[in-house]
Every structure is written in C-alpha cells, then in structure tokens.
Amino acid sequence: MSQSTENLIRKLAQDSAPVRPLARSWIRAVGWLTISGIYLAIVVSLMKSHGLPPRWDDARFILEQVSALAVGFGAAVAAFATTVPGHNRGRLAILLIPLAGWLGTVGEGCINRLTQLGPRVLTLEHDLACFPFIALSGTVPAIFMAFMLRRGAPLTPRLTAGLGALAAAGLANFFLRLFHPEDVTLMLLLWHVGGVFVLSALAASAGRYLLNWPSITPASENAAR
Amino acid sequence: MNAQSKLNRIGEISDDDLARLMKIAQAGDTEAYTQLLQEVTVRLRRIVRRYRGFLTDEDIEDLVQDILLSLHSVRATYDPRRPFMPWLLAITRNRLADGARRYARTSAREVNTDCLDVTFVNENANKTSDVFGKEELKNAIDDLPAAQRTAVEMLKLREMSLKEAAAVSGMSIGALKVATHRAMIALRKMLMKTDEPKY
C-alpha cells in the first residue's frame, strides 16, 4: 500500500467520530414534510384573509390537492433516495403516478372550463402574486431540504436538486391553493404548475453548485492526502 | 500476526464482514474503520486499475484516495441492513466519472511544452554541478536544523507536495513553507562560504 494512502487511512480513522446512519428516505421525507407543513400552515393562516375559503365540497379540487401533496411528498422521497449510494433508480418512476394525477386533474379542469366558457378562459390575466408566493413560501422548505440533502452523497446533483425543488414548490403550491381555490384556467396551469416546474428546472441547473463532493469533504481531510 | 500474514488476509473477507466492520466503524471504532479502509483500498485499487488501466500508478492512487475521502464523508448514508459492496461501488462509479470529467477538462486546458535544460544565456548559470559539488550540498543539508532538513528532503529532494509532506512529517503546511525558505537561505550562506559561485 502506498505511503500516502496508508497515511490517509490513518488520518481518516483518527478523525472518525461516531455517525448515526441516515434514516430511510421516506422517514426523512415525513420529517421534512412535517416541519415545512407547519411553517407553510402559519404563512397560509396569515394570508387567509386575502383569499377565498377552500372548496372542500368539490371532488376535483380535493383530488388535485391530494395529487399535489403526493407530488411534494413523492419528490421529497425521491430526492433523499438519490443521495443514498446504491439506491434503485427505477423506483423514482413511482413519482410519475402522483405527477400524472396532478397534471391530469389540473388539465381536465382547464378543458372543462374551456368547453363551458369558451375561449375567454384563455386570457392571460391572472393574479401575479401566485408565482412569488410559491417562490417565497417555498424558499424555507427548500433551504431545509438542501440542508438535509447535503447530509447525503451528491451522486446526481442536478436530479437531486430538481426533485428537492419540485418537492418544496409543489408543497408551497398545495398551501397556496388552500386560500386561492379559483377555477382552473390555462393561466392557472401556467402560473401554478408551470411555476413549480420552472423553479425545479432552475434548481436542477444549479445542482452542481449546491451539491458536490468537495463541499461536503472537510478541508482538513483533504489536507490529509 | 506478522506483517506478511496480515497483508495476505487483506482482500479475503466477505461482503458481510465488510458490512459488519462498517457498522462498527459508524459507532466510532477506529480499529474497525482502519481495517475496513485497508480492505476496501485493495478492492478499489483493483477496480480503478480495471476501468482506468491507461492511468499511471500515481493517478490510480489519486483516484483511490478520492474514493476513500468520499466514502468517509458520506459514511452516514450506509444502511447496515443492506449489503456493503453495492454501496461502495455506487460511490466508486460516481467518483470515477467525476475523475474522467476532471481529466477531460484539465487535458483540454493543458499545453505541453518541452522541458528545456538551458534557461540562461550565460552557460555557467545553467550548470549547478559546476557551482556546487553533490557532496558539498549533501553535507550542507545534513548540517541544517532537523525541521529545515526534513522540509528540504521532502519538498525538494523527494518532490512531495506540501499536503503530502505535511501528512508524513506532521508539520503544518505553513511551518513547512517557513522551514523551506529558511533552509534555502541557510544553504546559500553555507555554500557561498565553502565555494564561491562561478557565475
């Protein structure tokens, strides 16, 4: 064994403080969802006076919300799973089910409105506060998510960051719809759903800056080489 | 157990044993962790050599060390209920891919130049052998204080990097730089006394 590798092993062994194995991805996702949910519930309770009450009597609205929440939770599980070496990437495909449910309900609502009211639902007018709300209210859950993701291995930084942002923005959108339960129009599809995907794409493009090996390897350990 | 039998034993233990060692290492057992890293290093060297056979031994060792550092940084992600080798191989594949990207980037930016022996117009200035004899230089280095001698031997004679020299000698990088600087001044003074330069 080469001298420097032998020294490195000695140094690493000396610095090996006890570590607690990370919990399973779904357990970590539940933890993230709980804390982020409490934060967003507080934000929504402060904003509620500016919006409408949720339409719990509308089955399509309930299905849309359940799907959106499932996307947030599923994306969080997938994001955590991608930071565990040796995870089965095929399982990430499960996320497509809630995603299809969410896009399906929103899309179906959009088509219904189009057939009922005609082309005027295609207007570009929309409350522009939605997108900043998703971005701002999703920031705290996203930061918390990034902090948790950095405890894992940055094996697929872009995919991990994209999924993490999808979870945070999806969850923020779920809470936004609680006091913003307007009918689904093309613009709602663009601003809400499109906003979530734009934020995810932005996070994915910055993935390598957020999650990389040098940043999680302490300088002292690098110096041991 | 003598060194040879210990060396023979490395690379023979099963995946279950590696998983058990990792579990104990996660609890902070230094000995188990050392044994695990030694076992893993043998396997890693073999894997890296198989996939990157065109690299020099030094580059292969660099990659192995990269993987060991990565393993150390993310050892909390190992779930003791799962097999060890798939976990290790996922890290290895990822670091090999990173290494390939890094290699492609640096080789695209590097410009190879010829190593010229002559650097000055004055011919004598290019011939250190004419200025100082090997024996004189060796004696002068031997006369240096211990820290300065170590710094010169490691950094100038064995051409180790500052990080390597710091790891081997136990001195800090700053201390090595200072010791080298002082050693150069001291050597210059000593050699000037014994042999006036001819340039």
Side-chain angles (χ1 to χ4, degrees), chain A:
Chain A
M1 199 170 287
S2 104
Q3 186 67 25
S4 58
T5 306
E6 192 64 55
N7 285 329
L8 177 69
I9 289 173
R10 203 168 42 242
K11 288 262 181 187
L12 293 180
Q14 280 167 4
D15 297 343
S16 64
V19 289
R20 202 176 65 180
L22 293 181
R24 290 187 172 189
S25 301
W26 70 268
I27 297 173
R28 300 182 74 204
V30 168
W32 172 80
L33 197 69
T34 307
I35 293 172
S36 303
I38 291 169
Y39 162 77
L40 286 168
I42 294 168
V43 173
V44 166
S45 66
L46 295 174
M47 304 279 290
K48 221 170 181 176
S49 56
H50 300 283
L52 300 165
R55 299 180 323 194
W56 295 120
D57 54 339
D58 181 352
R60 199 204 52 75
F61 176 75
I62 294 171
L63 188 61
E64 181 200 322
Q65 284 295 75
V66 170
S67 306
L69 192 61
V71 167
F73 178 68
V77 175
F80 290 129
T82 57
T83 64
V84 177
H87 75 274
N88 183 354
R89 280 198 200 181
R91 287 187 191 166
L92 299 184
I94 296 172
L95 181 60
L96 293 174
I97 298 169
L99 206 55
W102 188 36
L103 294 176
T105 48
V106 174
E108 190 254 338
C110 186
I111 292 165
N112 278 349
R113 293 282 293 168
L114 186 66
T115 51
Q116 284 167 12
L117 302 174
R120 69 191 169 96
V121 296
L122 296 177
T123 173
L124 292 173
E125 285 174 20
H126 189 69
D127 185 355
L128 297 182
C130 294
F131 186 69
F133 178 87
I134 294 173
L136 291 175
S137 58
T139 302
V140 170
I143 291 171
F144 183 40
M145 168 67 78
F147 176 77
M148 289 179 80
L149 289 175
R150 283 175 63 83
R151 292 197 63 210
L155 299 168
T156 50
R158 290 197 179 101
L159 178 65
T160 306
L163 287 168
L166 178 64
L171 192 66
N173 183 63
F174 167 82
F175 279 93
L176 170 69
R177 292 282 285 152
L178 290 180
F179 69 97
H180 213 269
E182 64 201 30
D183 287 327
V184 179
T185 62
L186 183 67
M187 281 306 98
L188 185 130
L189 189 72
L190 275 183
W191 286 106
H192 286 232
V193 182
V196 168
F197 284 107
V198 165
L199 290 173
S200 305
L202 286 174
S205 63
R208 283 200 179 275
Y209 298 100
L210 298 169
L211 307 163
N212 54 65
W213 287 105
S215 70
I216 64 159
T217 309
S220 60
E221 284 161 12
N222 256 324
R225 294 179 69 183

Side-chain angles (χ1 to χ4, degrees), chain A residues 1-2 4-7 9 12-13 16-19 21-22 24 85-86 155 208 213 216-217 221-222 224-225, chain B residues 26 30 33-34 38 41 61-62 65-66 69-70 72-73 75-77 81 87 90 94-95 98 101 163 167-168:
Chain A
M1 199 170 287
S2 104
S4 58
T5 306
E6 192 64 55
N7 285 329
I9 289 173
L12 293 180
S16 64
V19 289
L22 293 181
R24 290 187 172 189
L155 299 168
R208 283 200 179 275
W213 287 105
I216 64 159
T217 309
E221 284 161 12
N222 256 324
R225 294 179 69 183
Chain B
Q26 282 179 327
T30 309
Y33 196 40
T34 307
Q38 285 174 340
T41 301
E61 211 57 32
D62 265 357
Q65 291 182 12
D66 254 353
L69 278 170
S70 303
H72 180 73
S73 304
R75 61 194 190 283
T77 63
R81 289 165 294 194
W87 179 82
N94 188 263
R95 299 307 282 144
D98 273 358
R101 273 193 289 269
K163 283 177 186 172
V168 173

Side-chain angles (χ1 to χ4, degrees), chain B residues 93-113:
Chain B
R93 272 195 300 271
N94 188 263
R95 299 307 282 144
L96 284 177
D98 273 358
R101 273 193 289 269
R102 200 167 52 234
Y103 181 78
R105 264 200 312 272
T106 49
S107 55
R109 288 176 193 159
E110 269 177 5
V111 178
N112 291 324
T113 55

